[in-house]
Each structure stands twice: as structure tokens, then as C-alpha cells.
Amino acid sequence: MKHLFLKNFWLSVKFALLALLSLSICACGDKTPTSNATSTAQTEQIVATVGGQPIYLHEVDTAIQIQRYDLLLSEYEMRFAQLTQMVNAKQDQIGGDVEWLLEYPEPPRIEIDTGTRPVRGNPQAPVALTVFCSYQSVHCAQVHPHLLALLDAYPGWVSLQHVDYPMHFHREGRNAARAARCAARQGSPWAYADGLYARARHLDSGVYPLLAKQLSLKAEDLAACMQEPEVSALVESDLAFAKAQSFGNVPIVLINGLYTRGPKSYEHYAMWVARELERNGIAPGSLHPQADRYSTGGEPQVQHTQLPLRLEGTSLSTAAENSSALIAIEDNEAVRFATGASLLQKVRIAYIHKDHVILNNDGVIERLNLRGEQSESTDLPPLTSRTPRDAATMQRIEQPTGETRKLIPADGVLPLGQEWLRQQLLEREELAKKFVLAEHEVDGYKLLRLEGITDSEFFTALGLEEGDVVLRVNDEWVHSGQNPLWDALVSGEVTDVTFMRNGLPQRLQYTVAESGYFDDLNSAPGNTNNAGKNSSDGEAAGESGSAEDKSDDEEASDADTDEDGEEDDDDGA
């Protein structure tokens, strides 16, 4: 009874606040000189004095602008839900086209300084997306593909920055944030983060080294880095930064500072991006001069350099800034250069890998291979092209023939390192034996179930588990007559896999990425807030227990819920 009374009390308070806010908005909506004068008077209204010093209404409103907007958004959503019912009823009566005129409330613009965090995409882009998220949040994992799609849809015009904001009920939230920062130290700030989001529902201590291995990173170095206090301090700094903005639950996405709360659709984010481009005088559909460079999810295209340079050898250190490369310039003898060293005018070393280095050639990313390595690497699986598939292929993938409903959205995109995948596929025949006949049939063939994969690095890295029934790879069935998985992984295209687990459909996507590339040379590991020295978190990097795989409407400890237990499932309009 007490709980019911308190719930009704707070509902009454909430609706009273909405009513007051509505009256305030109505008053401000009148554009007459009288209302403008009234509005100015309200803005300058003194609402308290302390020792004779006034506190003005506008100061209060500025301090709670996010909370006021959240109330306004709740009112809009109630109105829209009611309007939708009325529109549907009227359409059933008289038919006809519908023109929606209820305007979405303009969000406040939050001015923040994101510092020197790594930038995905063009660092000079006129539209900056700042994402406050937790890698264990299923809502953030849901939003992440939309943001990557924006980078693809507006190459050169949009950039993306991540701010760590692990929720207190995300048991692996801080660990995942530390792991992502440590992966950035090894030159993989984005591919590793993509992998974490894809595993958001199943994060535990075993995921971090496994994801590192499949991206050809050093798992031991990553584990050591996660234990260093400096990394923990950076995560806690981001968390304090987010809380200082009075933000609620993740995801929070700022679009040039415009505040959006909760998971939204791609169309919702694209609407604000288009408006911001227009506000900056950029016509719809305009092509950015560097669109080709930023056309793959914000990741710059890396070409082999044509400069008169020859890489004779490399020496790697766990701290990126201590690595060196033996490079001959033109016909001179090879000299050892450190990360950041200048080779020619406007040409410097951005990052050093085992068999190549990344160069910054006057702002253009280029690759210099170890002498003789180019011909030896031809057996590597091709990198995945992010060129969108044609509509007909996507239709076959997402809605197989005979199905009336589309497949569920993919849980995420798992990046697979070229070298790791090459090594794994050397055991293809043994891996194929893990597919055994299942009970059900399709087209006269038995479906295939995975068996004996508990200790398999390959299938675990793909997010597959014992007993999963693999149904489809891209637009083809997987059955006793064919298994297109192997060819799909080396096709150079996104591999889309649908499978059944415990009677429920699941879907994952895979890309082949060359580990170690970072997306912008100005945010190279070791020079940013996200990637300092190779040090790690003083907090226990191995917090016990991982969140169980629960849907967002179950336990508050595993879902992105408000502290009072209400689910934050704001889906937008």
C-alpha cells in the first residue's frame, strides 16, 4: 500500500510539473510584443535572495535545462501517442493522406569541451557526434550501428567521439572501458570498441583477451594495461565529466551539442545531422572534398606509399612511443626512427607495426610495408568493403523467400583481424566438423548444429555457443548440402549470420579488419586522453561476475534503467 501511495504521489508530481511546463511554453509561444515583454520579465524574475544577492529564474532554468527538456519530451511523446490513435481512427473512418504537423521539441544545445579524445571520421567535420555510452549497455549497442551508418551516409561531414559513461549496474562497464583504452594503445581504438558493442549482452573477463587475439593485438599487454591506475583514472574522469553535465542514463548523443536521450532510430539522428548541415550552409546531398577518405564508417582509406622510403626492420615496445623502425630514405643507409619522427618534409611516422608502419603524409594516411612483405601477405583474407549491398541482396538477407517478417536487427558487428582469421582458417577442415546434423530440415536438407565448440577459440570469437543452430549466412541457408560460412568470411563483404539459440533467433555480422589502424592520425594512441602510456587501472580489472543475458525489461542491474527502477526505453518518434 505504501509503495502504491508513493508511486501515485510521484506520478501526480510529474504530471503537475508537465502542466506547469506546458503553461510556460504556451506563454512563450505568443510572439506579440506584450508576450515578449512578459517573457523578458520572467527571465529577469528574481526567485530568491541570499544576503541581498538575487537569484534569477533564468539561472535556475539553465541549471536544469536537461531535466526540463526531458519533461517536455515526455509531454511530446504522450501527445504523439494520443495523436497517433486519433489519426488511425479517423483514417479508418474517412481514409485519405496524413500530414503530421506536431513538431518535435527542439533540444537544448549543451556546450562541452571533449578535449583531445580520439576522433572517428574527419576531425574537422562540421557536425560532431559526442556519444556518452557504456560498452555493456544493450541500448548503446543498439545505437552504435546507427552512428556508424551516419559516418557512411555523410562521409567527411560527420565525426564521432566516445566518452566513457559506464552505469553503476553494468558489472563489466568499467572493465570494458579500460580494455577499449588499452586496445587504443596498441593502435585499435575503434575495431576493438565495435567488438565490445557486439558482445554487450555477453561481456565477461574472457571477452577482452579473446577480442584482442582476434584483432592480432597482444592480449598479455592488454591485460597488464588494464591493471594500471592511469587508465582507471581516465575512465573515472570521463564518468565524472558525464555526471557533471547532469546526464541520466545512457545512451546520450550530442549532435553539435544538441541533446538526445535514449536509443533513437537512424532516421531521428539523421534528421538532426541534416538540420545541422543546413545550419552550417551545406546543401543537402553535397559531396565532401574528402568523402572517399572517410567513406568507410569514418575509417580513412590506407594506401601504400609511393614515397622513396624502404622499411628494413621494426622494433616494438609495449609502449607505442618507444617502438622504432629502421627506414632508408631514398638511396641512403637505413636509420632508426621513433614514433612521431619526421622522415621527409611534412611526412612523419604515425604508428609502427610488426611488418609495416603508418605514415602521415601531409595529412594523408599511407602505409609502408616491411621490405618483401607485400608479396608474402597475398594469402591474407581481403579486408571488408563497407560499400552497402544493393537493395535486392539486402531484401534476400533480411527477409528470406516465404517469410512475412524481416529478421531481427544484428546484435552488432564483430571485427576479425586478417592475420588471426588466416591462421584460424588453416584449420577449416577441423572447424567444419563441429557442424553436426540438427533435427529440422530446409529444402530437404538437415540444418546444422554446433557441437564440441566449448574450447574453440574460433567459434567463441564469433560469438557462437554450444548447441547453436546456424540457419543462414548472408542470403543462403546453412544445411547438410552447403555451408557458405567459409567463403563468406573471405569474400571481402560483411558476413551476416543468423542462428537459433535456446529457441530464439540471433543475428551477428562480421568484418575483416587490418588490426592496428586508427581512424585519424591526430588522435594516435599515446597522444590523447584515450591513450596515454601503457598503464592500466588500479581498480580491480577483474570485477567478478558478468551481467547475465537478460532483456532490457528484466533486472534493473543488467538493463539501462533509471535508479528508481523505471526502464529508460525512450525510442523517439
Side-chain angles (χ1 to χ4, degrees), residues 154-480:
Y154 300 94
W157 297 122
V158 175
S159 67
L160 176 65
Q161 283 184 294
H162 171 86
V163 180
D164 288 320
Y165 193 17
M167 300 284 96
H168 66 89
F169 45 79
H170 289 155
R171 300 169 190 164
E172 288 292 324
R174 282 178 166 85
N175 287 340
R178 291 192 283 262
R181 289 173 180 272
C182 292
R185 299 253 179 100
Q186 297 190 45
S188 182
W190 302 119
Y192 195 92
D194 292 345
L196 289 174
Y197 279 127
R199 303 295 292 269
R201 293 182 183 272
H202 309 282
L203 275 183
D204 58 36
S205 59
V207 167
Y208 312 124
L210 181 61
L211 188 55
K213 289 178 68 176
Q214 72 188 57
L215 288 172
S216 300
L217 305 180
K218 297 178 180 179
E220 299 81 4
D221 292 347
L222 184 123
C225 171
M226 288 177 66
Q227 297 291 340
E228 296 181 5
E230 185 178 344
V231 175
S232 178
L234 291 172
V235 173
E236 296 305 316
S237 175
D238 266 14
L239 185 58
F241 177 61
K243 289 181 176 178
Q245 314 306 316
S246 299
F247 292 152
N249 285 358
V250 294
I252 301 293
V253 179
L254 304 184
I255 304 172
N256 275 0
L258 291 176
Y259 167 80
T260 66
R261 172 180 63 87
K264 305 293 185 187
S265 66
Y266 167 82
E267 290 74 18
H268 182 90
Y269 295 121
M271 172 186 73
W272 293 115
V273 168
R275 290 189 185 184
E276 284 302 292
L277 288 173
E278 185 177 357
R279 189 174 71 90
N280 282 276
I282 299 167
S286 298
L287 185 66
H288 192 277
Q290 292 184 299
D292 288 344
R293 180 182 176 192
Y294 296 106
S295 62
T296 56
E299 299 176 11
Q301 300 301 290
V302 181
Q303 305 293 332
H304 293 286
T305 187
Q306 299 300 312
L307 295 171
L309 302 172
R310 188 173 69 255
L311 179 61
E312 299 284 354
T314 61
S315 175
L316 301 184
S317 169
T318 54
E321 63 271 21
N322 294 331
S323 297
S324 63
L326 192 63
I327 298 177
I329 301 175
E330 296 181 337
D331 294 327
N332 298 317
E333 288 188 9
V335 178
R336 193 163 293 281
F337 295 91
T339 303
S342 177
L343 300 178
L344 299 168
Q345 186 176 7
K346 296 184 178 181
V347 178
R348 64 179 178 85
I349 297 177
Y351 202 81
I352 299 173
H353 297 271
K354 180 179 70 173
D355 58 0
H356 67 277
V357 299
I358 299 297
L359 305 175
N360 182 348
N361 182 2
D362 196 16
V364 177
I365 301 173
E366 295 181 349
R367 170 184 174 136
L368 175 64
N369 280 339
L370 189 64
R371 188 168 64 170
E373 284 295 310
Q374 188 168 0
S375 61
E376 295 172 9
S377 301
T378 55
D379 61 337
L380 288 174
L383 296 175
T384 300
S385 167
R386 292 186 64 127
T387 303
R389 286 188 167 105
D390 60 86
T393 301
M394 287 306 301
Q395 174 74 13
R396 292 195 303 272
I397 291 174
E398 297 191 334
Q399 191 168 355
T401 303
E403 295 291 330
T404 58
R405 294 181 299 176
K406 284 190 175 183
L407 293 177
I408 60 170
D411 271 350
V413 180
L414 279 168
L416 309 174
Q418 271 185 310
E419 176 59 27
W420 178 87
L421 183 58
R422 184 185 73 83
Q423 291 289 343
Q424 293 295 319
L425 292 182
L426 292 177
E427 305 296 326
R428 171 175 167 174
E429 289 187 9
E430 290 301 313
L431 293 172
K433 294 177 182 178
K434 304 299 182 181
F435 288 87
V436 300
L437 298 181
E439 179 181 352
H440 299 288
E441 295 185 358
V442 61
D443 296 336
Y445 294 94
K446 290 282 189 180
L447 293 175
L448 298 179
R449 184 182 74 253
L450 288 170
E451 188 175 282
I453 67 167
T454 304
D455 298 322
S456 169
E457 179 181 320
F458 176 77
F459 290 108
T460 302
L462 265 60
L464 299 172
E465 297 180 3
E466 185 82 8
D468 286 347
V469 177
V470 182
L471 301 177
R472 292 174 65 83
V473 172
N474 296 331
D475 57 349
E476 296 183 88
W477 288 99
V478 177
H479 50 58
S480 55

Side-chain angles (χ1 to χ4, degrees), residues 134-144 170 197 200-202 250-251 263 411 549-552 558-560:
S134 167
Y135 292 112
Q136 198 175 3
S137 164
V138 292
H139 288 324
C140 287
Q142 174 186 341
V143 163
H144 187 62
H170 289 155
Y197 279 127
R201 293 182 183 272
H202 309 282
V250 294
D411 271 350
D549 184 22
K550 299 181 183 299
S551 62
D552 291 354
D558 293 324
D560 303 335

